[in-house]
Amino acid sequence: MSDIIIITDWGSDPPAFAGALAMAFTVVPASVATVTAEAVASARVVVVYSKLRQADDVARLGEVIGEDRRRTDTIYVASSSDRAGLVQAEALKIGLILPSFRSSRDIRAAVQKILNRGLEAGLQRRSRLVANAIETGDALYQELGAAMRADKPLPPEVLVATARAIGEATRREGLAEWLDAVQLHHSGTCRHMLTVAGHASSFGQYLSLHESDVAMLAEAALLHDVGKLFIPISVLEKTGELTEMERRAINTHSMRGASALVRGGRTAKEVIAAVRDHHEYLDGSGYPRGVGADGLGPLTRMITIADIYSALTEERPYKEAMTPRQSITIMAGLKGKLDNRLFAAFRSMVLDPVFAKKQASVLPGSGGRPACLQAGIHPFDASQETAA
């Protein structure tokens, strides 16, 4: 299902705001003259951009967009200052009518509000901790996108708050509850961000890492794909096979994300390294730099494991979700690519049904263990040093 269908009577020329929407949402274009009820039903939000001067066009829209959806899920964007279109939109009982002078940002915000309606309803059935973390994560996702598009620094306060909220939610409610709640979000890209953050945060808790290490894991996970926000969602969430050009564009995301964080000047260098190198492997076969084990710190190694596992267990437009055991089996076959000690611990965590359902309310400080990730110390080496 697409996020938006934009119905126009402007032929092949898309409206100016369509490009802005395509950066944040999956968008399908349609013509007033040929749009079908099936096409409308396959989109979460309907945007009508038409002069609405032809009686046949008005009648057709009334037929293919049911009255309930016109009231709740449809936005009319006037294509000119002509009053006639606004009057017809009101006669169609379209729920939200925007005059022609409204900006792309206003239209995007209106779409987001409709899309979040289902999320808000679903979160009412969740614990307050989980609901708060999802809501904070959604706000972060939107702010990250706005910052990337405007080439502005990322919002550090929202990032820290989201990392803390996810850590608290997974610790008190369990990883399984978190992963289930994440599925309520309409965006596959946002779901992946929150899924990786949940796995990474839980991984740190499973290893009894220091509170600051768990927070750093969550922050790195939330930012690991930030470079993808430069790439249209229509490419990121494409249902069919990617073209070579599209694949190359996606493969730039890790370096673009790291560069954006460097320009922002507010992110820890270890987190930037994890964003840049989370597709690198210990044997040097990854991208974008082809570095090996000596160039990959423990934070990066942990994010790589969480990212791969999350991608395998997630449903995507082009594949079904794999079970935890299927995913772990595939990862076990990546000989020489992943950190063996960390992978063995992660495997134990995700295959432990007790841990997934409820975690012990340990932390802050986590048993007196010193912070290790910011210093570049491997968690298992740090535990040995503490024991000594």
Side-chain angles (χ1 to χ4, degrees):
M1 176 173 275
S2 60
D3 292 327
I4 310 168
I5 183 169
I6 302 180
I7 306 174
T8 76
D9 56 7
W10 287 68
S12 60
D13 294 329
F17 62 80
L21 292 181
M23 289 300 296
F25 310 106
T26 52
V27 178
V28 173
S31 165
V32 173
T34 60
V35 65
T36 64
E38 291 74 20
V40 169
S42 68
R44 297 180 177 90
V45 180
V46 181
V47 176
V48 177
Y49 182 74
S50 167
K51 297 177 183 178
L52 295 183
R53 289 179 179 171
Q54 302 297 322
D56 289 347
D57 291 344
V58 176
R60 184 173 188 79
L61 290 174
E63 290 174 3
V64 300
I65 312 172
E67 183 174 341
D68 286 345
R69 292 211 67 193
R70 294 201 302 273
R71 290 180 182 275
T72 60
D73 302 338
T74 303
I75 302 168
Y76 174 71
V77 181
S79 58
S80 71
S81 58
D82 189 345
R83 175 71 183 161
L86 300 175
V87 171
Q88 292 288 9
E90 290 172 357
L92 282 168
K93 300 179 182 178
I94 292 177
L96 182 59
I97 299 173
L98 300 179
S100 58
F101 60 79
R102 297 297 284 270
S103 68
S104 296
R105 177 177 295 182
D106 293 331
I107 299 169
R108 187 167 60 241
V111 168
Q112 188 70 57
K113 186 173 182 179
I114 294 174
L115 289 173
N116 277 3
R117 220 181 273 139
L119 176 64
E120 292 167 0
L123 290 180
Q124 290 179 2
R125 299 186 294 273
R126 304 288 173 168
S127 76
R128 189 61 247 165
L129 277 176
V130 170
N132 176 65
I134 296 288
E135 289 167 351
T136 309
D138 175 67
L140 173 66
Y141 178 66
Q142 294 181 49
E143 292 203 28
L144 288 178
M148 292 295 98
R149 288 187 289 270
D151 196 24
K152 293 182 178 179
L154 303 182
E157 299 83 5
V158 182
L159 174 63
V160 171
T162 303
R164 185 185 302 117
I166 292 174
E168 189 71 0
T170 53
R171 179 168 70 92
R172 294 191 178 276
E173 301 296 338
L175 178 58
E177 174 66 17
W178 172 254
L179 296 176
D180 187 55
V182 166
Q183 299 309 307
L184 294 170
H185 203 283
H186 70 275
S187 166
T189 303
C190 185
R191 286 199 302 270
H192 179 66
M193 178 188 83
L194 297 177
T195 297
V196 178
H199 282 130
S201 182
S202 295
F203 194 15
Q205 294 163 11
Y206 186 76
L207 297 177
S208 297
L209 297 187
H210 190 274
E211 182 181 13
S212 64
D213 285 334
V214 175
M216 179 171 276
L217 275 163
E219 289 181 21
L222 289 167
L223 294 176
H224 82 286
D225 272 349
V226 70
K228 286 185 176 179
L229 298 177
F230 289 107
I231 301 168
I233 291 291
S234 58
V235 174
L236 294 178
E237 300 184 11
K238 184 177 179 180
T239 55
E241 185 176 351
L242 294 172
T243 66
E244 184 59 32
M245 183 177 296
E246 289 169 340
R247 192 176 302 281
R248 285 201 301 269
I250 289 178
N251 286 351
T252 65
H253 78 274
S254 53
M255 192 64 80
R256 293 180 76 175
S259 297
L261 296 179
V262 169
R263 289 196 303 273
R266 301 180 183 179
T267 308
K269 60 180 174 45
E270 295 79 14
V271 172
I272 294 175
V275 171
R276 181 191 63 211
D277 295 334
H278 66 278
H279 285 293
E280 300 284 4
Y281 290 130
L282 301 189
D283 63 2
S285 63
Y287 73 87
R289 302 185 300 144
V291 299
D294 292 342
L296 302 175
L299 178 65
T300 300
R301 298 179 184 207
M302 296 177 77
I303 294 300
T304 297
I305 290 171
D307 181 40
I308 294 174
Y309 179 80
S310 297
L312 291 171
T313 54
E314 291 167 1
E315 182 178 352
R316 299 285 176 87
Y318 51 86
K319 76 172 188 70
E320 295 182 354
M322 294 185 181
T323 68
R325 290 194 178 277
Q326 288 173 326
S327 303
I328 287 297
T329 298
I330 289 176
M331 294 176 71
L334 299 176
K335 301 294 185 181
K337 296 183 184 297
L338 304 177
D339 185 297
N340 287 333
R341 291 183 293 173
L342 290 171
F343 174 63
F346 187 85
R347 176 178 55 200
S348 297
M349 179 188 81
V350 297
L351 297 182
D352 180 353
V354 175
F355 179 84
K357 291 180 180 178
K358 208 75 171 178
Q359 300 181 33
S361 55
V362 290
L363 243 58
S366 300
R369 289 192 59 175
C372 62
L373 295 182
Q374 191 162 6
I377 300 173
H378 194 288
F380 290 106
D381 295 338
S383 62
Q384 292 168 6
E385 289 179 11
T386 303

